Amino acid sequence: MALLDAMGQKRAMFSLAGLRELHRAGDRSRLALLAIFLLAVGTILSMLFSVTTGASNASFIDVIANMAGSDGALNARDRIIIFDIRMPRAILGFLVGGSLAVSGAIMQGLFRNPLADPGLVGVSSGASLGAVVIIVLASTFAAPFYALLGIYALPIAAFGGGLASTWLLYRIATGNGQTSVATMLLAGIALGSLAGALTGLLIYIANDQQLRDLTFWGMGSLAGATWAKIAAAGPIILLSFAAIPFMARGLNAITLGEATAFHMGVPVQRLKNIAIVSVAAATGASVAVSGGIGFVGIVVPHVLRMSIGPDHRFLLPASALLGGSLLIFADVLARTIVAPAELPIGIITAAVGGPFFLWILLRHRARLAL
């Protein structure tokens, strides 16, 4: 009888009704795998949509034919537009969106609350400060650093600023093995304000060209996407993605409390170190190449957690895929909604993410005692 029950349960897993039943029963692993597969397909489609949308006569079929080796499918102008402008922009959008979403999911798991996000708790502000230091002082105090690292100077400086902010936030908000949500939010506001003040000071001493660049950079944009920027930020972001398999099970355990996770055999301190460095690296590299893009890290993990569950083995890769796809679509909207001009992508993410954050705050107000 037990064998028959097991066989029936196995058959049910591969039907739509079975997936719904598993969702109701609490086992969402099959649903999560299906969601990851669909998100992977959606990511590919979103990239193709991005590279074929805009002021060019190249069609979707022409681009696919050119990629397949048909040199006559695109003329020289369209090849430049597709492969030197739009494709780097789509790839960078996926990397930035995925890294911000994964960073949000990691922080929410590490702090054990749904309100943690690199943009809300000061991590992005610290990364911005590190990047602005390089932009403004590249010809003076930061000249040796820039000369030594070249195109990697900006993402590494942003990583350093994000790492410092994340470490300080964790040290301030955590005591006796417990993390206070209220302390975390207040400390994040304080750290963000301090980083903002220092950033403002650097902007004050910037020249006119630097000031113009910083103004548009601060609102967030993928307009300056190039293969060189992908070469600079891509390896750092991909390394943070590579840490996902080593953190997922530990983050699952740490949701029960650090003491419980330790007794389950999880190296808690090493997990926290890996998580903090990964968040700082991903956020820093993303801020360096795209500027301030907020709310991706809180919206994406929360939507996925409600649909596929809180298991970080599925939540983290799904966040990378959904975050990347959403930012690609937001970028397409940013460059077409007011064409031929371009809207900063940070405005779009803030317009959507702000109300969503308020909804999350009201939904969890009683539980968080805020």
Side-chain angles (χ1 to χ4, degrees):
M1 181 64 70
L3 178 61
L4 290 175
D5 290 342
M7 292 174 63
Q9 198 174 47
K10 185 175 182 180
R11 284 195 300 269
M13 287 180 180
F14 292 95
S15 66
L16 183 59
L19 287 172
R20 282 198 291 263
E21 184 63 32
L22 288 172
H23 186 280
R24 286 193 293 269
D27 183 359
R28 306 188 195 180
S29 58
R30 295 286 177 177
L31 181 64
L33 290 173
L34 176 62
I36 290 173
F37 172 76
L38 294 176
L39 287 171
V41 174
T43 297
I44 296 172
L45 293 177
S46 66
M47 285 192 171
L48 291 173
F49 177 69
S50 177
V51 300
T52 56
T53 301
S56 170
N57 296 324
S59 67
F60 178 84
I61 301 299
D62 292 336
V63 174
I64 296 298
N66 188 270
M67 290 181 178
S70 177
D71 295 333
L74 296 174
N75 58 40
R77 172 181 171 272
D78 288 339
R79 277 197 295 271
I80 293 173
I81 292 174
I82 297 299
F83 294 106
D84 293 339
I85 298 175
R86 291 185 190 167
M87 191 168 289
R89 189 163 178 156
I91 293 173
L92 192 65
F94 172 77
L95 290 174
V96 170
S99 65
L100 293 176
V102 168
S103 296
I106 291 173
M107 291 193 72
Q108 289 165 21
L110 186 65
F111 287 104
R112 301 192 294 280
N113 76 84
L115 301 180
D117 168 69
L120 295 174
V121 295
V123 178
S124 294
S125 298
S128 297
L129 175 60
V132 171
V133 167
I134 293 298
I135 293 173
V136 176
L137 303 179
S139 60
T140 54
F141 295 104
F145 182 76
Y146 193 84
L148 177 65
L149 298 175
I151 62 172
Y152 294 98
L154 193 62
I156 289 177
F159 162 67
L163 179 62
S165 296
T166 308
W167 182 81
L168 283 173
L169 178 68
Y170 188 84
R171 295 295 298 175
I172 292 171
T174 303
N176 298 322
Q178 299 294 323
T179 301
S180 168
V181 177
T183 302
M184 181 199 68
L185 293 175
L186 294 174
I189 292 171
L191 291 174
S193 298
L194 179 59
L198 295 174
T199 301
L201 178 62
L202 290 169
I203 292 175
Y204 178 76
I205 64 175
N207 58 40
D208 290 342
Q209 182 59 45
Q210 291 171 339
L211 185 60
R212 179 177 176 82
D213 293 341
L214 288 169
T215 299
F216 287 99
W217 175 82
M219 290 187 287
S221 176
L222 298 175
T226 61
W227 293 112
K229 284 190 176 182
I230 293 175
I236 298 175
I237 294 174
L238 291 176
L239 280 175
S240 68
F241 285 170
I244 287 176
F246 303 97
M247 291 187 288
R249 293 184 182 275
L251 289 173
N252 285 343
I254 212 170
T255 56
L256 303 174
E258 292 187 11
T260 303
F262 179 79
H263 289 299
M264 292 173 64
V266 175
V268 175
Q269 190 57 49
R270 186 172 66 183
L271 172 65
K272 291 190 291 187
N273 292 339
I274 294 174
I276 289 172
V277 171
S278 296
V279 168
T283 304
S286 298
V287 168
V289 295
S290 67
I293 298 176
F295 293 103
V296 175
I298 193 169
V299 171
V300 171
H302 199 80
V303 169
L304 289 171
R305 196 176 285 108
M306 290 189 297
S307 57
I308 67 174
D311 190 337
H312 289 86
R313 294 176 301 166
F314 309 115
L315 180 63
L316 293 180
S319 294
L321 294 170
L322 182 58
S325 300
L326 285 180
L327 200 62
I328 290 173
F329 278 115
D331 179 58
V332 172
L333 184 63
R335 58 186 171 87
T336 57
I337 193 172
V338 291
E342 182 173 318
L343 195 67
I345 195 172
I347 294 176
I348 295 176
T349 58
V352 175
F356 191 87
F357 174 70
L358 289 175
W359 175 76
I360 294 175
L361 187 63
L362 292 173
R363 187 169 182 250
H364 294 274
R365 180 172 55 184
R367 184 170 67 85
L368 296 174
L370 292 176

PDB file of all heavy atoms in Angstrom, residues 13 174 221 230:
ATOM      1  N   MET A  13       3.039  14.519  -9.227  1.00  0.00           N
ATOM      2  CA  MET A  13       3.995  15.618  -9.280  1.00  0.00           C
ATOM      3  C   MET A  13       4.142  16.181 -10.687  1.00  0.00           C
ATOM      4  O   MET A  13       4.491  17.344 -10.868  1.00  0.00           O
ATOM      5  CB  MET A  13       5.365  15.134  -8.776  1.00  0.00           C
ATOM      6  CG  MET A  13       5.430  14.927  -7.282  1.00  0.00           C
ATOM      7  SD  MET A  13       7.079  14.356  -6.769  1.00  0.00           S
ATOM      8  CE  MET A  13       6.833  14.199  -4.996  1.00  0.00           C
ATOM      9  N   THR A 174      22.995  43.487  15.019  1.00  0.00           N
ATOM     10  CA  THR A 174      23.001  42.152  15.600  1.00  0.00           C
ATOM     11  C   THR A 174      23.649  42.171  16.978  1.00  0.00           C
ATOM     12  O   THR A 174      24.734  42.710  17.169  1.00  0.00           O
ATOM     13  CB  THR A 174      23.757  41.162  14.697  1.00  0.00           C
ATOM     14  OG1 THR A 174      23.159  41.164  13.402  1.00  0.00           O
ATOM     15  CG2 THR A 174      23.700  39.754  15.264  1.00  0.00           C
ATOM     16  N   SER A 221      20.925  54.184 -14.814  1.00  0.00           N
ATOM     17  CA  SER A 221      20.737  54.038 -16.253  1.00  0.00           C
ATOM     18  C   SER A 221      21.686  52.972 -16.792  1.00  0.00           C
ATOM     19  O   SER A 221      22.764  52.749 -16.237  1.00  0.00           O
ATOM     20  CB  SER A 221      20.993  55.368 -16.973  1.00  0.00           C
ATOM     21  OG  SER A 221      20.893  55.214 -18.375  1.00  0.00           O
ATOM     22  N   ILE A 230      31.025  45.473 -19.078  1.00  0.00           N
ATOM     23  CA  ILE A 230      30.691  44.086 -18.756  1.00  0.00           C
ATOM     24  C   ILE A 230      31.949  43.335 -18.315  1.00  0.00           C
ATOM     25  O   ILE A 230      31.917  42.541 -17.366  1.00  0.00           O
ATOM     26  CB  ILE A 230      30.038  43.405 -19.969  1.00  0.00           C
ATOM     27  CG1 ILE A 230      28.675  44.034 -20.255  1.00  0.00           C
ATOM     28  CG2 ILE A 230      29.893  41.902 -19.739  1.00  0.00           C
ATOM     29  CD1 ILE A 230      28.005  43.515 -21.514  1.00  0.00           C
TER      30      ILE A 230
END
